[in-house]
Amino acid sequence: MTETPQQYPTSLGTSNASTITLLGHDLSTELLGQVGFGELALWLIRQQRPEPADVRVFEAVLVALADHGFTPTAISARLTYLSAPESLQSAIAAGLLGGGSRFLGVTEDTARFLTATLAELDAPPPEAEGAPDHWDALAHTAIRNRRAEGALVPGLGHPVHRQQDPRTPALIRLAREHDRYGPHLALFEAIGRVAPEALGKPLPLNGAGVCGAALADLGLPAELLRGVALLARTAGLLGHIAEERRRPIANQIYRAVDGHAYYVAPDAPATHDYGSG
């Protein structure tokens, strides 16, 4: 009896001896030179070709998350490249592995928080551009519930931009201009409005959080958003490694830390305050 070969269906890419097909289109004749990388990435994620307004907001998010200076992810990449210059992929991977609850992971965490809050509503949320009192009341409830759980509100506060993250108003304005301002951004803005009263201190909406809200309003599932943040940061890490080759500083960082290391007893009190971002 002849066995039927197993088949593995995919809506992404396939190839044979003469052609490459991606998303149902001929890569060479229909996509190369006609589709930008941001559009392609969003198309791959959503499995349908995005509209130009979707691409504009998505690419703005990628730009907003690409680099933020000498963050732990960038330093990790540079130090790994110093240690293993023959392994570029290890340096980039080292930086990406640092995407978590304090850096980069905030994009996903904020989207999860906003999505869960909206899912608990008994009725559909009001129009994003209307009913500010409703959104503020919902934001108060969301913050109260989050505090009752003993958890921080994701997307609030930044270790550098303590008054306002400059990315936040720019991304919100862009979403509005392209008619992509939806309930996640409306709720996130309301959280920013009520947070000083609800928490007793002013905390700005950070850029990673607004990116999560904007991506959620584009219909992307929260579970994939850390991947989008890492996609953006990959470009930034590659830039850091390229700069490390031209103007190396990783060895200085290593020498500075090593030269200032000193022994303390294991039970000595900690003296560092680690911020979040």
Side-chain angles (χ1 to χ4, degrees):
M1 183 176 68
T2 304
E3 290 188 7
T4 302
Q6 276 192 303
Q7 295 183 313
Y8 303 94
T10 178
S11 299
L12 302 177
T14 59
S15 63
N16 56 35
S18 59
T19 62
I20 301 174
T21 300
L22 183 61
L23 296 163
H25 293 265
D26 187 284
L27 177 67
S28 302
T29 62
E30 297 180 287
L31 299 180
L32 288 181
Q34 301 179 50
V35 176
F37 182 71
E39 179 181 357
L40 179 64
L42 186 54
W43 194 350
L44 287 165
I45 296 168
R46 297 203 310 191
Q47 296 283 288
Q48 63 182 56
R49 190 162 193 169
E51 297 180 7
D54 297 328
V55 176
R56 190 65 182 274
V57 173
F58 183 76
E59 290 185 338
V61 167
L62 294 180
V63 172
L65 295 175
D67 182 65
H68 206 56
F70 287 118
T71 59
T73 59
I75 294 171
S76 296
R78 285 184 181 244
L79 289 174
T80 302
Y81 189 73
L82 170 67
S83 181
E86 74 283 358
S87 183
L88 176 70
Q89 68 272 24
S90 296
I92 292 177
L96 295 180
L97 289 171
S101 59
R102 288 196 171 115
F103 292 87
L104 292 178
V106 177
T107 298
E108 174 190 334
D109 296 341
T110 303
R112 284 181 180 270
F113 169 60
L114 298 173
T115 300
T117 300
L118 293 170
E120 292 173 357
L121 295 178
D122 295 328
E127 290 295 322
E129 293 286 7
D133 291 344
H134 177 97
W135 287 114
D136 287 3
L138 180 59
H140 264 293
T141 300
I143 293 174
R144 184 172 61 249
N145 292 343
R146 188 78 175 182
R147 293 188 70 188
E149 297 170 357
L152 297 175
V153 178
L156 278 179
H158 195 282
V160 177
H161 309 300
R162 298 188 180 275
Q163 299 301 318
Q164 183 183 64
D165 189 319
R167 297 170 294 180
T168 298
L171 286 167
I172 291 173
R173 182 174 61 251
L174 188 72
R176 281 198 167 102
E177 289 173 355
H178 292 276
D179 196 26
R180 292 301 182 268
Y181 182 90
H184 297 86
L185 280 169
L187 176 56
F188 193 55
E189 274 207 287
I191 287 171
R193 288 193 298 270
V194 307
E197 177 186 348
L199 298 175
K201 57 182 177 180
L203 288 172
L205 298 175
N206 62 51
V210 78
C211 286
L215 292 173
D217 276 341
L218 290 182
L220 274 65
E223 295 79 8
L224 295 180
L225 297 195
R226 191 168 304 193
V228 174
L230 295 175
L231 173 66
R233 189 53 58 93
T234 299
L237 294 175
L238 189 56
H240 273 278
I241 294 169
E243 184 175 71
E244 184 66 25
R245 289 170 55 86
R246 296 192 305 270
R247 193 181 302 124
I249 63 164
N251 195 55
Q252 293 172 255
I253 295 173
Y254 157 57
R255 294 295 182 187
V257 175
D258 186 58
H260 290 83
Y262 64 96
Y263 176 80
V264 295
D267 57 353
T271 58
H272 297 318
D273 177 23
Y274 297 98
S276 63

